[in-house]
Amino acid sequence: MEPKEFKQERTLVIIKPDGIQRSLVGEIIKRFENVGLKLVAIKMTIPAPDFIEKHYTLDPEWRKTTGEKNIKNYKDKGLALPCDDPYKIAEIVLNNLKKYMSAGPVIAMILEGAHAVKIVRKIIGSTEPLTSDVGTIRGDYVLDSYEMSDTDGRAVRNLIHASGSIEEAEKEIGLWFSPKEIINYQLVQERILYDINLDGILE
Ligand code: GDP
Ligand code: MG
């Protein structure tokens, strides 16, 4: 990766329908602005269930890894498994996600900056709000768990989606945004964040 590209890493973030309904849009975007990331694209939309399926299955391994992760979670908690086929479990998770993510408006955005993917994942916290760290968005603003969402037969409400890797980000950005929706501009603060000797001249 070229040094310039490194500072222009991009990630896709979606504020899920519960984030909108909880009036947390400003609070969530503030966290990303505070850390120094730059918003280069943003839109509000109500995604169709098929579009959500596409989003989650951009990674051909998603069904396998999600099913296996789910089985491990059940076993770790000593809970009875609905079945032991990871693909069947992933299908249940996917159907719940399709209902959840298309239930109302969402806000999709692209954030740009050094280590954008990892920095955003750190700020949002781990997947299940019950166990996400205090100080993270999922840890501080919601109280859901796999146990409660599974009992109620719905997806876990964790407010936000963010790409898990640079490759995932590239695929997701391509699905959610066309190149002309992405704005190339400079933020004043980039001088301080990235300038080598703080003299205001970008090397
Ligand atoms: P994320 O990148 O942190 O959102 O997590 P993943 O990409 O691993 O999973 C995507 C979504 O699938 C999550 O937001 C959850 O809604 C759901 N999911 C993932 N793992 C599990 C699990 O073990 N149990 C349940 N019930 N849902 C899960
Ligand atoms: Mg993910």
Side-chain angles (χ1 to χ4, degrees):
M1 202 181 262
E2 292 293 315
K4 192 158 176 271
E5 283 176 40
F6 178 74
K7 294 168 185 167
Q8 292 176 331
E9 188 174 302
R10 286 175 175 175
T11 189
L12 182 91
V13 168
I14 304 163
I15 304 178
K16 297 180 178 181
D18 53 332
I20 309 284
Q21 295 301 330
R22 300 269 319 279
S23 299
L24 288 170
V25 174
E27 203 55 43
I28 289 170
I29 294 178
K30 186 182 88 177
R31 299 273 184 122
F32 303 130
E33 285 187 324
N34 282 353
V35 81
L37 290 171
K38 175 166 71 174
L39 204 48
V40 295
I42 186 161
K43 66 175 151 196
M44 181 178 256
T45 171
I46 303 179
D50 285 353
F51 185 83
I52 295 304
E53 175 157 345
K54 254 191 220 151
H55 166 82
Y56 281 105
T57 54
L58 283 169
D59 171 11
E61 292 286 295
W62 186 85
R63 282 187 166 83
K64 184 170 177 284
T65 50
T66 303
E68 284 169 356
K69 185 177 150 190
N70 213 303
I71 290 171
K72 188 179 174 300
N73 282 337
Y74 271 82
K75 284 192 176 153
D76 288 352
K77 288 187 192 136
L79 298 170
L81 281 162
C83 71
D84 54 13
D85 177 355
Y87 291 93
K88 278 192 187 144
I89 292 181
E91 208 53 38
I92 298 170
V93 172
L94 184 59
N95 282 330
N96 287 337
L97 281 169
K98 284 160 75 174
K99 276 187 224 154
Y100 171 34
M101 295 287 284
S102 61
V106 304
I107 287 180
M109 68 190 94
I110 305 173
L111 292 162
E112 185 184 287
H115 310 289
V117 171
K118 281 190 182 156
I119 292 278
V120 166
R121 294 287 284 199
K122 182 182 74 167
I123 292 171
I124 73 168
S126 58
T127 312
E128 189 196 23
L130 175 67
T131 50
S132 350
D133 288 335
V134 172
T136 65
I137 294 171
R138 286 164 169 173
D140 284 358
Y141 294 114
V142 69
L143 40 65
D144 208 8
S145 66
Y146 288 142
E147 214 163 345
M148 185 158 72
S149 58
D150 287 350
T151 306
D152 292 347
R154 58 167 176 80
V156 68
R157 290 180 187 149
N158 58 10
L159 300 172
I160 198 158
H161 163 84
S163 313
S165 65
I166 294 175
E167 301 70 46
E168 201 174 287
E170 279 167 5
K171 285 186 202 162
E172 292 178 354
I173 287 169
L175 178 70
W176 285 81
F177 288 93
S178 68
K180 67 176 192 312
E181 291 175 303
I182 306 171
I183 314 288
N184 224 334
Y185 70 103
Q186 202 158 56
L187 272 186
V188 169
Q189 66 168 358
E190 283 176 79
R191 291 189 169 204
I192 300 303
L193 292 172
Y194 304 122
D195 181 27
I196 292 168
N197 48 18
L198 274 179
D199 59 4
I201 298 162
L202 286 175
E203 277 75 16

